[in-house]
Amino acid sequence: MNNIIEFASKLIKGFTSDSTNEVYKFHGGVHPDGHKHESTTQPIAQLPIPEKLTLPLRQHVGYIPKIKVKVGDYVLKGEMIAEAEGTVSAAIHAPTSGTITAIEDAVIPHPSGLPDMCVTLAPDGKDEWKPLKPIDWKNTAINELITSLRSSGIVGLGGATFPTHIKLRKDGRSEIHTLIINAAECEPYITCDDMLMRERAHDIIQGIEIVQHLLGATKVMIGIEDNKPEATSAMTLASQTLTNATVTTVPTLYPSGDARRLIHLLLGIEVPHHKRSTEVGIQVFNVATVLAIYRYFTFGEPSVSRVVTVTGNVETPQNFEVLLGTPIPLLVAAAGGAKTDTTHFVMGGPMMGFDLPSTDVPVTKAANCIIAASPSLFAPPPPAMPCIRCTRCADACPVNLQPQELYWFAKSDNLEKARDYHLFDCIECGCCTYVCPSNIPLVQYYRYAKSEIIAADKAQEAADLARERNEFRLARIEREKLERAQKHAERAASAKNDEPKPEPVKADKERPASSAEADEAKKAAIAAAVARAKALKLAAAQTDATKTGSEEAPKIAENKPEPTATVSDEQAKKDKQALIAAAIERAKAQKLAAAQAGVAPKNTEDLSPKVKAEISEIETIRAKAKQMVEAKDPD
């Protein structure tokens, strides 16, 4: 009855949304069974505080935060236990008051099933908040508001988990003129956003007003699928307080909740694949995210809880507001428990969600839905058959790709070709797999190809970095080598400049000024020295020969049979030594005399003609050198 009254008042006031706003259909898409009514029959319930909360550090896109607590610390509700590290990161806060009991690896809700670092909190049951500080966002600088939002821990709660402060930061390249609120919630089974709009539309609108102020957007558009009439009615009435805001119903067609598809539906704008929506002046926010922003600025509450849909093969499907870190089994138990034929649990929707590795995992910021799966709801996939090239996948692809071609490239590891066919434009919505008559898990092939390309790119980046580091090292070694050589040259030049200058000499002993004259003088001096040495050697040889002849005469006489002429051997030895000593003394005297006179020895009477010619040549060279010196310095 209330819904009828609200709809009638809307008609009277002229606030029907679909009559004034055109919707632009996008290519492709599918229409699976929604299964949404099962979990919307009851209001959002509050789950009690569990005995243990496990908080994974990896709950968002980007770098994991830096832990600020240690085991044994007591924390209050809302107190930061891990701060954002780097630009793309988000903080994590204590969901309630209690004691930190462990900081260790634990299994987290992730497709890999691998453990990751987690902080375990044991609640004390008091649920005591830390002192909260609301922010007057209307009278505070926008840059301060965005900086403050970085410590709030708020991320995209529609499933993308991108840090919200990054989406609100202005890059200076483009101005945001349109803010789009994504309330489509197109994936089957998920109803958490639907219930938030039904019950908290006024708070959502206030959050939209804050985001509009931060972005400076002049226009607001709220897109809701036409299978949510109650949410559309509530949001339309609440949005009357916003200026230039419209609520538009869009067709129930998966994946209309994708940001680019919703932009096309509402504005008819196709965002290029190589650009972001902000580059064309559009920003998109989820309804749960703007609600969290409202609570942060109005009450000072960081991100410590979220609404989760528990549905599927459970007794009473319902939406619950739970603290982050709450174990999944408690959620399932609150929904009446899983039925006996439940085989596993899915986090997210059936199209883009993933099977949980274990039920013993906590609720994270990305956990918008938990589905209990059974063979009756999700039959085991039949074996894949060969591709028949029916092109149904291409008809269903909302991104206008060629899924069958990407499949062949991925299967044959032709990764570069897959990249050329815009593999990374694939949003992994699963439409191609949904319509494939051969039951080929196409999305799995695309995910494999993406992971291989990313790994190859990272390896290439590491190789490039190593090469650059090696080139830098070689350049550094060469630079240091040149620097050392330069230092050695500078020290040598400095030492040469510090040497005392030689005293000026007389004109006849000065060196020639020119290098040619200096070389001639040097050669003349060397030739003269050689000639003197040869002359002295020859003279000594002749003296030795003369003495040897005189010594042989007594020996001949000794051979004569004259007994009176014999001389003892000892006396002959002494005489020989005396003759040698006398010859040496004569040679020394001749050398000294020659040195004092500055000319070659003059006792050349007994020299051979060849030696005399050499001495004469040396004398000529000496005279020539002396003339050159005198000509150089006439003084």
Side-chain angles (χ1 to χ4, degrees), residues 161-179:
T161 66
F162 195 79
T164 299
H165 68 276
I166 300 295
K167 296 182 69 174
L168 290 169
R169 185 179 60 184
K170 295 185 178 180
D171 56 7
R173 292 177 297 179
S174 59
E175 294 292 332
I176 304 299
H177 54 73
T178 303
L179 169 63

Side-chain angles (χ1 to χ4, degrees), residues 379-458:
M385 303 295 288
C387 175
I388 60 176
R389 294 188 178 273
C390 63
T391 70
R392 288 189 183 181
C393 53
D395 295 336
C397 180
V399 196
N400 289 297
L401 298 178
Q402 295 295 320
Q404 73 277 12
E405 299 294 340
L406 293 174
Y407 161 68
W408 288 113
F409 296 145
K411 189 174 182 179
S412 60
D413 284 333
N414 193 351
L415 303 180
E416 287 305 318
K417 199 69 175 177
R419 192 201 296 262
D420 294 340
Y421 272 65
H422 305 295
L423 170 66
F424 284 92
D425 287 352
C426 173
I427 61 176
E428 301 179 14
C429 62
C431 289
C432 53
T433 302
Y434 184 80
V435 301
C436 180
S438 296
N439 303 311
I440 301 174
L442 296 170
V443 174
Q444 305 303 324
Y445 282 96
Y446 306 153
R447 288 173 177 168
Y448 159 75
K450 287 181 179 180
S451 64
E452 289 296 309
I453 292 175
I454 292 173
D457 289 346
K458 288 184 177 179

Side-chain angles (χ1 to χ4, degrees), residues 536 539-540 543-544 547 576-594 603:
L536 293 174
T543 302
D544 291 342
K547 295 301 178 181
K576 185 176 181 180
Q577 290 176 352
L579 291 173
I580 294 172
I584 293 173
E585 290 299 328
R586 286 196 302 272
K588 288 182 178 180
Q590 292 174 358
K591 184 176 181 181
L592 180 60
N603 53 343

Side-chain angles (χ1 to χ4, degrees), residues 8-133:
S9 64
K10 182 175 65 174
L11 290 174
I12 295 172
K13 295 181 179 181
F15 286 109
T16 53
S17 59
D18 52 351
S19 61
T20 59
N21 296 286
E22 183 179 0
V23 175
Y24 304 86
K25 189 178 184 304
F26 60 84
H27 177 270
V30 294
H31 197 299
D33 192 358
H35 291 281
K36 291 180 178 287
H37 62 279
E38 294 93 341
S39 57
T40 56
T41 58
Q42 301 184 60
I44 299 173
Q46 188 80 30
L47 204 67
I49 300 174
E51 296 180 358
K52 181 182 74 170
L53 296 173
T54 303
L55 301 165
L57 297 183
R58 198 179 303 274
Q59 298 191 44
H60 54 269
V61 174
Y63 297 103
I64 63 173
K66 182 180 179 181
I67 298 177
K68 294 186 62 178
V69 295
K70 60 183 182 297
V71 176
D73 286 353
Y74 179 80
V75 293
L76 296 175
K77 184 175 183 177
E79 185 174 340
M80 186 183 295
I81 62 176
E83 63 180 346
E85 184 81 2
T87 304
V88 184
S89 184
I92 296 178
H93 302 77
T96 186
S97 57
T99 305
I100 304 297
T101 59
I103 302 176
E104 59 188 5
D105 286 347
V107 179
I108 66 172
H110 191 270
S112 67
L114 298 175
D116 204 356
M117 185 61 64
C118 300
V119 178
T120 303
L121 173 66
D124 59 1
K126 298 179 181 179
D127 201 33
E128 182 181 357
W129 277 97
K130 72 165 188 176
L132 300 179
K133 297 180 180 179

Side-chain angles (χ1 to χ4, degrees), residues 533-548:
K534 288 182 178 181
L536 293 174
K537 184 177 180 181
L538 182 58
Q542 291 177 351
T543 302
D544 291 342
T546 304
K547 295 301 178 181
T548 303

